[in-house]
Amino acid sequence: MAEVYDFIPEAEGDEALYLAKLLTSLDDENKKRFSNVYRSRRKDPQTILVLCLLGFVGLAGVHRFILNQIGMGILYFFTAGLCFIGVIVDLVNYKDLTFQYNRKVAQEVRSLL
């Protein structure tokens, strides 16, 4: 687990545990490669939170576009975040949304190595 914080210090909670599992079978050079690519592609939960808050001022769905959920982003944009209910739900679940995206990114990067 400490190894994860050496390579990816911004990872916390479930993300750090998941990355620890992925990094166990890699040597140090591949861990460095993985961390460089992963850090450039991962999304920060606080960024998603701020973008989600934009849904209350008329820019609903921006966070969904950033997380590559284009269909939901369009739906949120044209329905004002499903009448703000979807925006409120996403405010509560922003860490889980970000973790799901980051997990997919980690799997893609791991498969490239």
Side-chain angles (χ1 to χ4, degrees):
M1 184 71 164
E3 226 173 44
V4 172
Y5 294 120
D6 291 338
F7 291 103
I8 307 167
E10 62 272 5
E12 33 180 66
D14 291 337
E15 182 182 10
L17 291 173
Y18 184 75
L19 292 174
K21 289 180 188 177
L22 285 179
L23 293 176
T24 55
S25 63
L26 297 177
D27 60 347
D28 284 341
E29 186 173 326
N30 280 334
K31 286 178 184 177
K32 288 179 185 177
R33 287 183 193 157
F34 175 86
S35 65
N36 287 336
V37 175
Y38 177 74
R39 290 177 81 189
S40 68
R41 293 184 183 182
R42 80 179 285 273
K43 303 297 182 200
D44 184 40
Q46 282 70 32
T47 304
I48 301 303
L49 174 64
V50 170
L51 292 174
C52 189
L53 288 171
L54 289 176
F56 290 113
V57 293
L59 294 174
V62 174
H63 64 289
R64 293 289 186 154
F65 285 112
I66 297 298
L67 295 173
N68 286 339
Q69 297 176 351
I70 306 302
M72 287 297 288
I74 291 170
L75 180 68
Y76 273 40
F77 183 75
F78 287 116
T79 62
L82 300 173
C83 298
F84 298 111
I85 294 171
V87 174
I88 294 169
V89 170
D90 285 352
L91 279 173
V92 173
N93 295 324
Y94 76 95
K95 284 189 178 184
D96 187 50
L97 290 170
T98 309
F99 174 64
Q100 289 174 6
Y101 175 82
N102 288 338
R103 186 175 51 201
K104 288 179 190 174
V105 168
Q107 289 172 352
E108 290 173 5
V109 173
R110 177 73 168 95
S111 67
L112 291 175
L113 298 177

PDB file of all heavy atoms in Angstrom, residues 15 38 42-49 63 67 69 90 93-105:
ATOM      1  N   GLU A  15      -9.589   3.970  -4.346  1.00  0.00           N
ATOM      2  CA  GLU A  15      -8.702   4.082  -5.503  1.00  0.00           C
ATOM      3  C   GLU A  15      -7.305   3.562  -5.154  1.00  0.00           C
ATOM      4  O   GLU A  15      -6.696   2.826  -5.932  1.00  0.00           O
ATOM      5  CB  GLU A  15      -8.625   5.532  -5.970  1.00  0.00           C
ATOM      6  CG  GLU A  15      -7.764   5.742  -7.190  1.00  0.00           C
ATOM      7  CD  GLU A  15      -7.670   7.198  -7.606  1.00  0.00           C
ATOM      8  OE1 GLU A  15      -8.116   8.092  -6.850  1.00  0.00           O
ATOM      9  OE2 GLU A  15      -7.136   7.437  -8.689  1.00  0.00           O
ATOM     10  N   TYR A  38      -1.155   6.877 -15.940  1.00  0.00           N
ATOM     11  CA  TYR A  38      -2.386   6.938 -15.144  1.00  0.00           C
ATOM     12  C   TYR A  38      -2.615   8.335 -14.575  1.00  0.00           C
ATOM     13  O   TYR A  38      -3.731   8.852 -14.609  1.00  0.00           O
ATOM     14  CB  TYR A  38      -2.324   5.902 -14.020  1.00  0.00           C
ATOM     15  CG  TYR A  38      -3.520   5.943 -13.108  1.00  0.00           C
ATOM     16  CD1 TYR A  38      -4.751   5.447 -13.533  1.00  0.00           C
ATOM     17  CD2 TYR A  38      -3.438   6.490 -11.833  1.00  0.00           C
ATOM     18  CE1 TYR A  38      -5.856   5.487 -12.711  1.00  0.00           C
ATOM     19  CE2 TYR A  38      -4.539   6.529 -11.005  1.00  0.00           C
ATOM     20  CZ  TYR A  38      -5.744   6.033 -11.449  1.00  0.00           C
ATOM     21  OH  TYR A  38      -6.839   6.092 -10.634  1.00  0.00           O
ATOM     22  N   ARG A  42      -6.132  10.333 -15.166  1.00  0.00           N
ATOM     23  CA  ARG A  42      -7.115  10.241 -14.082  1.00  0.00           C
ATOM     24  C   ARG A  42      -7.793  11.592 -13.854  1.00  0.00           C
ATOM     25  O   ARG A  42      -7.265  12.639 -14.200  1.00  0.00           O
ATOM     26  CB  ARG A  42      -6.478   9.725 -12.790  1.00  0.00           C
ATOM     27  CG  ARG A  42      -5.717  10.764 -12.006  1.00  0.00           C
ATOM     28  CD  ARG A  42      -5.137  10.215 -10.731  1.00  0.00           C
ATOM     29  NE  ARG A  42      -6.091   9.996  -9.693  1.00  0.00           N
ATOM     30  CZ  ARG A  42      -6.471  10.911  -8.811  1.00  0.00           C
ATOM     31  NH1 ARG A  42      -5.965  12.125  -8.862  1.00  0.00           N
ATOM     32  NH2 ARG A  42      -7.342  10.620  -7.869  1.00  0.00           N
ATOM     33  N   LYS A  43      -8.971  11.542 -13.282  1.00  0.00           N
ATOM     34  CA  LYS A  43      -9.724  12.746 -12.927  1.00  0.00           C
ATOM     35  C   LYS A  43      -9.717  12.917 -11.416  1.00  0.00           C
ATOM     36  O   LYS A  43      -9.795  11.948 -10.667  1.00  0.00           O
ATOM     37  CB  LYS A  43     -11.175  12.655 -13.417  1.00  0.00           C
ATOM     38  CG  LYS A  43     -11.312  12.435 -14.905  1.00  0.00           C
ATOM     39  CD  LYS A  43     -10.750  13.563 -15.706  1.00  0.00           C
ATOM     40  CE  LYS A  43     -10.975  13.287 -17.194  1.00  0.00           C
ATOM     41  NZ  LYS A  43     -10.102  14.037 -18.044  1.00  0.00           N
ATOM     42  N   ASP A  44      -9.650  14.153 -10.982  1.00  0.00           N
ATOM     43  CA  ASP A  44      -9.631  14.468  -9.562  1.00  0.00           C
ATOM     44  C   ASP A  44     -11.069  14.609  -9.062  1.00  0.00           C
ATOM     45  O   ASP A  44     -11.889  15.272  -9.708  1.00  0.00           O
ATOM     46  CB  ASP A  44      -8.860  15.770  -9.352  1.00  0.00           C
ATOM     47  CG  ASP A  44      -8.701  16.126  -7.907  1.00  0.00           C
ATOM     48  OD1 ASP A  44      -8.465  15.217  -7.102  1.00  0.00           O
ATOM     49  OD2 ASP A  44      -8.810  17.323  -7.585  1.00  0.00           O
ATOM     50  N   PRO A  45     -11.411  13.997  -7.933  1.00  0.00           N
ATOM     51  CA  PRO A  45     -12.790  14.090  -7.421  1.00  0.00           C
ATOM     52  C   PRO A  45     -13.241  15.530  -7.134  1.00  0.00           C
ATOM     53  O   PRO A  45     -14.406  15.857  -7.353  1.00  0.00           O
ATOM     54  CB  PRO A  45     -12.755  13.271  -6.130  1.00  0.00           C
ATOM     55  CG  PRO A  45     -11.629  12.338  -6.294  1.00  0.00           C
ATOM     56  CD  PRO A  45     -10.615  13.053  -7.134  1.00  0.00           C
ATOM     57  N   GLN A  46     -12.336  16.385  -6.693  1.00  0.00           N
ATOM     58  CA  GLN A  46     -12.732  17.765  -6.409  1.00  0.00           C
ATOM     59  C   GLN A  46     -13.078  18.523  -7.684  1.00  0.00           C
ATOM     60  O   GLN A  46     -13.968  19.371  -7.680  1.00  0.00           O
ATOM     61  CB  GLN A  46     -11.625  18.503  -5.636  1.00  0.00           C
ATOM     62  CG  GLN A  46     -11.590  18.160  -4.165  1.00  0.00           C
ATOM     63  CD  GLN A  46     -11.123  16.745  -3.882  1.00  0.00           C
ATOM     64  OE1 GLN A  46     -10.303  16.201  -4.616  1.00  0.00           O
ATOM     65  NE2 GLN A  46     -11.648  16.140  -2.840  1.00  0.00           N
ATOM     66  N   THR A  47     -12.401  18.218  -8.772  1.00  0.00           N
ATOM     67  CA  THR A  47     -12.742  18.834 -10.058  1.00  0.00           C
ATOM     68  C   THR A  47     -14.143  18.419 -10.480  1.00  0.00           C
ATOM     69  O   THR A  47     -14.933  19.254 -10.940  1.00  0.00           O
ATOM     70  CB  THR A  47     -11.727  18.414 -11.130  1.00  0.00           C
ATOM     71  OG1 THR A  47     -10.422  18.754 -10.699  1.00  0.00           O
ATOM     72  CG2 THR A  47     -12.024  19.087 -12.456  1.00  0.00           C
ATOM     73  N   ILE A  48     -14.463  17.156 -10.317  1.00  0.00           N
ATOM     74  CA  ILE A  48     -15.797  16.661 -10.670  1.00  0.00           C
ATOM     75  C   ILE A  48     -16.847  17.308  -9.781  1.00  0.00           C
ATOM     76  O   ILE A  48     -17.936  17.664 -10.241  1.00  0.00           O
ATOM     77  CB  ILE A  48     -15.842  15.121 -10.586  1.00  0.00           C
ATOM     78  CG1 ILE A  48     -14.806  14.493 -11.536  1.00  0.00           C
ATOM     79  CG2 ILE A  48     -17.234  14.590 -10.878  1.00  0.00           C
ATOM     80  CD1 ILE A  48     -14.950  14.904 -12.990  1.00  0.00           C
ATOM     81  N   LEU A  49     -16.545  17.503  -8.502  1.00  0.00           N
ATOM     82  CA  LEU A  49     -17.474  18.160  -7.590  1.00  0.00           C
ATOM     83  C   LEU A  49     -17.766  19.587  -8.045  1.00  0.00           C
ATOM     84  O   LEU A  49     -18.926  20.005  -8.099  1.00  0.00           O
ATOM     85  CB  LEU A  49     -16.910  18.164  -6.168  1.00  0.00           C
ATOM     86  CG  LEU A  49     -17.711  18.944  -5.123  1.00  0.00           C
ATOM     87  CD1 LEU A  49     -19.081  18.317  -4.926  1.00  0.00           C
ATOM     88  CD2 LEU A  49     -16.946  19.003  -3.814  1.00  0.00           C
ATOM     89  N   HIS A  63     -19.870  17.714 -15.892  1.00  0.00           N
ATOM     90  CA  HIS A  63     -19.089  16.669 -15.233  1.00  0.00           C
ATOM     91  C   HIS A  63     -19.258  15.323 -15.915  1.00  0.00           C
ATOM     92  O   HIS A  63     -18.336  14.519 -15.963  1.00  0.00           O
ATOM     93  CB  HIS A  63     -19.462  16.581 -13.748  1.00  0.00           C
ATOM     94  CG  HIS A  63     -20.867  16.172 -13.490  1.00  0.00           C
ATOM     95  ND1 HIS A  63     -21.940  17.001 -13.741  1.00  0.00           N
ATOM     96  CD2 HIS A  63     -21.383  15.019 -13.011  1.00  0.00           C
ATOM     97  CE1 HIS A  63     -23.052  16.368 -13.415  1.00  0.00           C
ATOM     98  NE2 HIS A  63     -22.745  15.165 -12.969  1.00  0.00           N
ATOM     99  N   LEU A  67     -16.318  12.906 -17.661  1.00  0.00           N
ATOM    100  CA  LEU A  67     -16.186  11.490 -17.304  1.00  0.00           C
ATOM    101  C   LEU A  67     -16.503  10.561 -18.470  1.00  0.00           C
ATOM    102  O   LEU A  67     -16.697   9.363 -18.283  1.00  0.00           O
ATOM    103  CB  LEU A  67     -17.098  11.163 -16.119  1.00  0.00           C
ATOM    104  CG  LEU A  67     -16.748  11.863 -14.807  1.00  0.00           C
ATOM    105  CD1 LEU A  67     -17.820  11.596 -13.761  1.00  0.00           C
ATOM    106  CD2 LEU A  67     -15.382  11.432 -14.319  1.00  0.00           C
ATOM    107  N   GLN A  69     -19.175  10.256 -20.239  1.00  0.00           N
ATOM    108  CA  GLN A  69     -20.552   9.774 -20.280  1.00  0.00           C
ATOM    109  C   GLN A  69     -21.361  10.774 -21.114  1.00  0.00           C
ATOM    110  O   GLN A  69     -22.165  11.553 -20.608  1.00  0.00           O
ATOM    111  CB  GLN A  69     -21.104   9.646 -18.864  1.00  0.00           C
ATOM    112  CG  GLN A  69     -20.364   8.644 -18.025  1.00  0.00           C
ATOM    113  CD  GLN A  69     -20.850   8.595 -16.596  1.00  0.00           C
ATOM    114  OE1 GLN A  69     -21.637   9.418 -16.151  1.00  0.00           O
ATOM    115  NE2 GLN A  69     -20.368   7.611 -15.859  1.00  0.00           N
ATOM    116  N   ASP A  90     -25.783  13.319  -8.123  1.00  0.00           N
ATOM    117  CA  ASP A  90     -24.372  13.306  -8.499  1.00  0.00           C
ATOM    118  C   ASP A  90     -23.502  14.042  -7.486  1.00  0.00           C
ATOM    119  O   ASP A  90     -22.335  13.693  -7.306  1.00  0.00           O
ATOM    120  CB  ASP A  90     -24.181  13.906  -9.885  1.00  0.00           C
ATOM    121  CG  ASP A  90     -24.635  12.960 -10.989  1.00  0.00           C
ATOM    122  OD1 ASP A  90     -24.949  11.794 -10.679  1.00  0.00           O
ATOM    123  OD2 ASP A  90     -24.664  13.394 -12.156  1.00  0.00           O
ATOM    124  N   ASN A  93     -22.825  11.467  -4.952  1.00  0.00           N
ATOM    125  CA  ASN A  93     -22.045  10.335  -5.460  1.00  0.00           C
ATOM    126  C   ASN A  93     -20.841  10.738  -6.305  1.00  0.00           C
ATOM    127  O   ASN A  93     -20.335   9.922  -7.079  1.00  0.00           O
ATOM    128  CB  ASN A  93     -22.940   9.424  -6.303  1.00  0.00           C
ATOM    129  CG  ASN A  93     -24.022   8.786  -5.491  1.00  0.00           C
ATOM    130  OD1 ASN A  93     -23.811   8.434  -4.340  1.00  0.00           O
ATOM    131  ND2 ASN A  93     -25.189   8.648  -6.086  1.00  0.00           N
ATOM    132  N   TYR A  94     -20.346  11.955  -6.185  1.00  0.00           N
ATOM    133  CA  TYR A  94     -19.275  12.400  -7.073  1.00  0.00           C
ATOM    134  C   TYR A  94     -17.994  11.576  -6.898  1.00  0.00           C
ATOM    135  O   TYR A  94     -17.283  11.322  -7.869  1.00  0.00           O
ATOM    136  CB  TYR A  94     -18.990  13.895  -6.899  1.00  0.00           C
ATOM    137  CG  TYR A  94     -18.219  14.257  -5.650  1.00  0.00           C
ATOM    138  CD1 TYR A  94     -16.843  14.405  -5.688  1.00  0.00           C
ATOM    139  CD2 TYR A  94     -18.865  14.460  -4.434  1.00  0.00           C
ATOM    140  CE1 TYR A  94     -16.130  14.729  -4.552  1.00  0.00           C
ATOM    141  CE2 TYR A  94     -18.166  14.792  -3.304  1.00  0.00           C
ATOM    142  CZ  TYR A  94     -16.791  14.926  -3.360  1.00  0.00           C
ATOM    143  OH  TYR A  94     -16.098  15.249  -2.236  1.00  0.00           O
ATOM    144  N   LYS A  95     -17.698  11.116  -5.689  1.00  0.00           N
ATOM    145  CA  LYS A  95     -16.495  10.306  -5.481  1.00  0.00           C
ATOM    146  C   LYS A  95     -16.619   8.945  -6.159  1.00  0.00           C
ATOM    147  O   LYS A  95     -15.664   8.437  -6.736  1.00  0.00           O
ATOM    148  CB  LYS A  95     -16.211  10.128  -3.992  1.00  0.00           C
ATOM    149  CG  LYS A  95     -15.624  11.350  -3.352  1.00  0.00           C
ATOM    150  CD  LYS A  95     -15.171  11.063  -1.948  1.00  0.00           C
ATOM    151  CE  LYS A  95     -14.529  12.303  -1.358  1.00  0.00           C
ATOM    152  NZ  LYS A  95     -13.995  12.054  -0.021  1.00  0.00           N
ATOM    153  N   ASP A  96     -17.805   8.362  -6.100  1.00  0.00           N
ATOM    154  CA  ASP A  96     -18.019   7.071  -6.742  1.00  0.00           C
ATOM    155  C   ASP A  96     -17.952   7.203  -8.264  1.00  0.00           C
ATOM    156  O   ASP A  96     -17.382   6.340  -8.932  1.00  0.00           O
ATOM    157  CB  ASP A  96     -19.356   6.481  -6.315  1.00  0.00           C
ATOM    158  CG  ASP A  96     -19.533   5.069  -6.819  1.00  0.00           C
ATOM    159  OD1 ASP A  96     -18.614   4.249  -6.628  1.00  0.00           O
ATOM    160  OD2 ASP A  96     -20.599   4.783  -7.404  1.00  0.00           O
ATOM    161  N   LEU A  97     -18.527   8.259  -8.811  1.00  0.00           N
ATOM    162  CA  LEU A  97     -18.458   8.491 -10.251  1.00  0.00           C
ATOM    163  C   LEU A  97     -17.008   8.622 -10.705  1.00  0.00           C
ATOM    164  O   LEU A  97     -16.602   8.055 -11.721  1.00  0.00           O
ATOM    165  CB  LEU A  97     -19.230   9.757 -10.634  1.00  0.00           C
ATOM    166  CG  LEU A  97     -20.742   9.717 -10.533  1.00  0.00           C
ATOM    167  CD1 LEU A  97     -21.326  11.107 -10.704  1.00  0.00           C
ATOM    168  CD2 LEU A  97     -21.312   8.777 -11.572  1.00  0.00           C
ATOM    169  N   THR A  98     -16.225   9.357  -9.941  1.00  0.00           N
ATOM    170  CA  THR A  98     -14.818   9.554 -10.284  1.00  0.00           C
ATOM    171  C   THR A  98     -14.046   8.252 -10.146  1.00  0.00           C
ATOM    172  O   THR A  98     -13.204   7.931 -10.993  1.00  0.00           O
ATOM    173  CB  THR A  98     -14.201  10.632  -9.381  1.00  0.00           C
ATOM    174  OG1 THR A  98     -15.029  11.792  -9.407  1.00  0.00           O
ATOM    175  CG2 THR A  98     -12.817  11.009  -9.847  1.00  0.00           C
ATOM    176  N   PHE A  99     -14.326   7.477  -9.088  1.00  0.00           N
ATOM    177  CA  PHE A  99     -13.634   6.207  -8.900  1.00  0.00           C
ATOM    178  C   PHE A  99     -13.938   5.240 -10.035  1.00  0.00           C
ATOM    179  O   PHE A  99     -13.041   4.544 -10.526  1.00  0.00           O
ATOM    180  CB  PHE A  99     -14.002   5.586  -7.554  1.00  0.00           C
ATOM    181  CG  PHE A  99     -13.440   4.211  -7.358  1.00  0.00           C
ATOM    182  CD1 PHE A  99     -12.072   4.009  -7.309  1.00  0.00           C
ATOM    183  CD2 PHE A  99     -14.264   3.112  -7.238  1.00  0.00           C
ATOM    184  CE1 PHE A  99     -11.535   2.735  -7.142  1.00  0.00           C
ATOM    185  CE2 PHE A  99     -13.758   1.847  -7.064  1.00  0.00           C
ATOM    186  CZ  PHE A  99     -12.378   1.660  -7.022  1.00  0.00           C
ATOM    187  N   GLN A 100     -15.185   5.189 -10.490  1.00  0.00           N
ATOM    188  CA  GLN A 100     -15.540   4.308 -11.597  1.00  0.00           C
ATOM    189  C   GLN A 100     -14.761   4.685 -12.856  1.00  0.00           C
ATOM    190  O   GLN A 100     -14.259   3.820 -13.575  1.00  0.00           O
ATOM    191  CB  GLN A 100     -17.039   4.360 -11.863  1.00  0.00           C
ATOM    192  CG  GLN A 100     -17.875   3.703 -10.807  1.00  0.00           C
ATOM    193  CD  GLN A 100     -19.364   3.912 -11.037  1.00  0.00           C
ATOM    194  OE1 GLN A 100     -19.777   4.461 -12.053  1.00  0.00           O
ATOM    195  NE2 GLN A 100     -20.165   3.482 -10.088  1.00  0.00           N
ATOM    196  N   TYR A 101     -14.667   5.989 -13.131  1.00  0.00           N
ATOM    197  CA  TYR A 101     -13.910   6.443 -14.302  1.00  0.00           C
ATOM    198  C   TYR A 101     -12.430   6.098 -14.147  1.00  0.00           C
ATOM    199  O   TYR A 101     -11.809   5.559 -15.066  1.00  0.00           O
ATOM    200  CB  TYR A 101     -14.080   7.952 -14.490  1.00  0.00           C
ATOM    201  CG  TYR A 101     -13.230   8.492 -15.604  1.00  0.00           C
ATOM    202  CD1 TYR A 101     -13.648   8.391 -16.923  1.00  0.00           C
ATOM    203  CD2 TYR A 101     -12.000   9.076 -15.355  1.00  0.00           C
ATOM    204  CE1 TYR A 101     -12.867   8.865 -17.954  1.00  0.00           C
ATOM    205  CE2 TYR A 101     -11.209   9.545 -16.372  1.00  0.00           C
ATOM    206  CZ  TYR A 101     -11.649   9.440 -17.670  1.00  0.00           C
ATOM    207  OH  TYR A 101     -10.861   9.907 -18.691  1.00  0.00           O
ATOM    208  N   ASN A 102     -11.862   6.397 -12.975  1.00  0.00           N
ATOM    209  CA  ASN A 102     -10.442   6.136 -12.749  1.00  0.00           C
ATOM    210  C   ASN A 102     -10.119   4.651 -12.778  1.00  0.00           C
ATOM    211  O   ASN A 102      -9.033   4.252 -13.200  1.00  0.00           O
ATOM    212  CB  ASN A 102      -9.985   6.760 -11.426  1.00  0.00           C
ATOM    213  CG  ASN A 102      -9.916   8.265 -11.511  1.00  0.00           C
ATOM    214  OD1 ASN A 102      -9.814   8.849 -12.587  1.00  0.00           O
ATOM    215  ND2 ASN A 102      -9.989   8.909 -10.368  1.00  0.00           N
ATOM    216  N   ARG A 103     -11.059   3.812 -12.342  1.00  0.00           N
ATOM    217  CA  ARG A 103     -10.846   2.366 -12.402  1.00  0.00           C
ATOM    218  C   ARG A 103     -10.760   1.896 -13.853  1.00  0.00           C
ATOM    219  O   ARG A 103      -9.904   1.084 -14.200  1.00  0.00           O
ATOM    220  CB  ARG A 103     -11.981   1.646 -11.664  1.00  0.00           C
ATOM    221  CG  ARG A 103     -11.769   0.159 -11.564  1.00  0.00           C
ATOM    222  CD  ARG A 103     -12.825  -0.506 -10.728  1.00  0.00           C
ATOM    223  NE  ARG A 103     -14.146  -0.103 -11.187  1.00  0.00           N
ATOM    224  CZ  ARG A 103     -15.244  -0.177 -10.460  1.00  0.00           C
ATOM    225  NH1 ARG A 103     -15.193  -0.632  -9.238  1.00  0.00           N
ATOM    226  NH2 ARG A 103     -16.401   0.195 -10.951  1.00  0.00           N
ATOM    227  N   LYS A 104     -11.625   2.426 -14.715  1.00  0.00           N
ATOM    228  CA  LYS A 104     -11.561   2.068 -16.137  1.00  0.00           C
ATOM    229  C   LYS A 104     -10.240   2.520 -16.748  1.00  0.00           C
ATOM    230  O   LYS A 104      -9.632   1.786 -17.538  1.00  0.00           O
ATOM    231  CB  LYS A 104     -12.727   2.714 -16.895  1.00  0.00           C
ATOM    232  CG  LYS A 104     -14.056   2.092 -16.615  1.00  0.00           C
ATOM    233  CD  LYS A 104     -15.143   2.798 -17.384  1.00  0.00           C
ATOM    234  CE  LYS A 104     -16.514   2.358 -16.951  1.00  0.00           C
ATOM    235  NZ  LYS A 104     -17.583   3.144 -17.592  1.00  0.00           N
ATOM    236  N   VAL A 105      -9.809   3.718 -16.391  1.00  0.00           N
ATOM    237  CA  VAL A 105      -8.539   4.221 -16.895  1.00  0.00           C
ATOM    238  C   VAL A 105      -7.390   3.339 -16.438  1.00  0.00           C
ATOM    239  O   VAL A 105      -6.496   3.007 -17.216  1.00  0.00           O
ATOM    240  CB  VAL A 105      -8.328   5.695 -16.456  1.00  0.00           C
ATOM    241  CG1 VAL A 105      -6.906   6.148 -16.702  1.00  0.00           C
ATOM    242  CG2 VAL A 105      -9.304   6.597 -17.164  1.00  0.00           C
TER     243      VAL A 105
END
